[in-house]
Amino acid sequence: MDNGAHGPPDKRRRRRCFILSLMCVLLLLLIIIVAVVSGLTLRHDAGHFKQTFTSRCESFKGYDCQKVWEAFEQAYVGKDPCRVPMEAYEPFVAAAPLVPACNRLMFWSGTKDVVHDFTGAGDCFITAEHTLMGFVLDGLTWCGKEGSAETFTTGCPGWTDCQNNTVRSFWNRASAAFADVACGDVTVMLNGSFAAPFSAQSVFGSIEVQRLNSTRVRSLRVALVTRENFVANCSNASLKDLQKELDKGIKYSCEEVAEAQLQECRSNPGRPCGACW
């Protein structure tokens, strides 16, 4: 009677233990598989990042792209991605020096797509993204991690998450280098759809304008891009602030330019440089 009364419950208990153990093993295997796949994906993304960087670099002649890559990655690899100052990219800037192009430099703020649609149609103007150091990283995200020798493309801080994050510090340094080689007449495209087309907190306002030197730069021309319902014109108060920020001796001018007019110019690459405004 004892065996009959307690046998079935013991079997059920053993069966439950077996099932629970099997579920734990399967869960552990699932965790391991997810970790391995995630690790392979991260390594694949990092490899793709370097491949993109290198292939873009190789479109420029006269550079050792492996050395350029090594100078670039030493800025952030193994570091807290929120503690990478502008200065960390000095070796990269030195490895990819900019060549002055007087009268051809085009700055922008709030108009990236319009600017690159326009400048991509001809060789009149050069933006920071046309230079080697800007071109190889345009549109990319990257960072390092403390204690790791890897480059990561996910889990990196966003532009406003911390002041000295990997990507923001790079573009600040690249923009400074771009402004440092400005000479002659330079142009900036600003957005007439913004209530304040010029912002002292933008990269253009906080970095580039501050480095335009009257010993090299003769004038700054503002092309204020307007659409059908634009809200700002060349008398906008923020543009008065821009004039105050300019180094004394740099001439200032502003022209309102319809986006449709820029598109028309883009379709006519034989048009003389600057003839759109």
Side-chain angles (χ1 to χ4, degrees):
M1 295 294 295
D2 288 343
N3 288 338
H6 295 93
D10 287 343
K11 288 182 179 179
R12 286 196 296 270
R13 193 179 300 113
R14 286 196 297 271
R15 189 180 297 114
R16 284 197 299 268
C17 289
F18 174 76
I19 293 172
L20 287 172
S21 299
L22 183 60
M23 290 177 64
C24 289
V25 171
L26 291 175
L27 181 60
L28 180 60
L29 287 173
L30 180 61
I31 292 172
I32 292 172
I33 290 170
V34 170
V36 170
V37 171
S38 296
L40 289 174
T41 301
L42 286 175
R43 282 196 290 272
H44 173 74
D45 287 347
H48 181 69
F49 177 86
K50 181 179 179 181
Q51 183 181 21
T52 300
F53 181 104
T54 303
S55 63
R56 289 181 179 183
C57 175
E58 289 171 349
S59 65
F60 290 78
K61 296 180 180 180
Y63 293 92
D64 183 332
C65 291
Q66 180 59 33
K67 289 184 178 179
V68 173
W69 166 258
E70 291 170 357
F72 166 69
E73 67 172 351
Q74 70 173 295
Y76 64 88
V77 165
K79 299 178 182 179
D80 183 329
C82 278
R83 295 184 178 180
V84 180
M86 286 174 55
E87 294 73 24
Y89 288 100
E90 293 294 346
F92 178 47
V93 172
L98 298 179
V99 178
C102 293
N103 307 317
R104 297 182 61 202
L105 264 58
M106 171 76 78
F107 298 92
W108 58 268
S109 183
T111 54
K112 182 178 181 180
D113 291 342
V114 175
V115 165
H116 290 113
D117 281 345
F118 177 70
T119 58
D123 59 357
C124 287
F125 296 100
I126 297 172
T127 68
E129 292 79 15
H130 286 107
T131 67
L132 184 148
M133 66 180 176
F135 183 70
V136 295
L137 293 163
D138 188 23
L140 301 182
T141 297
W142 68 94
C143 65
K145 304 288 184 184
E146 287 184 299
S148 172
E150 299 290 330
T151 292
F152 298 89
T153 57
T154 58
C156 300
W159 186 270
T160 59
D161 288 341
C162 48
Q163 184 67 30
N164 287 326
N165 72 69
T166 317
V167 175
R168 183 171 182 167
S169 288
F170 165 72
W171 284 109
N172 283 344
R173 184 62 190 92
S175 297
F178 187 64
D180 285 343
V181 298
C183 53
D185 300 317
V186 299
T187 306
V188 60
M189 274 195 186
L190 300 179
N191 197 328
S193 297
F194 292 173
F198 172 73
S199 170
Q201 282 71 52
S202 66
V203 173
F204 175 65
S206 64
I207 301 290
E208 293 167 330
V209 168
Q210 308 304 321
R211 301 178 84 104
L212 297 181
N213 192 307
S214 61
T215 61
R216 295 178 285 102
V217 177
R218 180 169 50 248
S219 70
L220 173 70
R221 301 176 297 184
V222 174
L224 186 64
V225 181
T226 61
R227 296 185 174 93
E228 185 176 348
N229 297 317
F230 67 95
V231 297
N233 56 33
C234 283
S235 62
N236 187 272
S238 72
L239 297 179
K240 303 296 182 183
D241 294 335
L242 169 56
Q243 294 179 61
K244 294 176 184 176
E245 292 292 327
L246 282 177
D247 192 18
K248 291 183 178 179
I250 297 179
K251 295 180 180 179
Y252 170 90
S253 62
C254 177
E255 185 77 22
E256 295 158 22
V257 187
E259 186 173 353
Q261 186 176 339
L262 292 175
Q263 292 171 347
E264 181 183 343
C265 288
R266 185 180 184 277
S267 64
N268 183 10
R271 200 164 185 167
C273 294
C276 283
W277 55 82

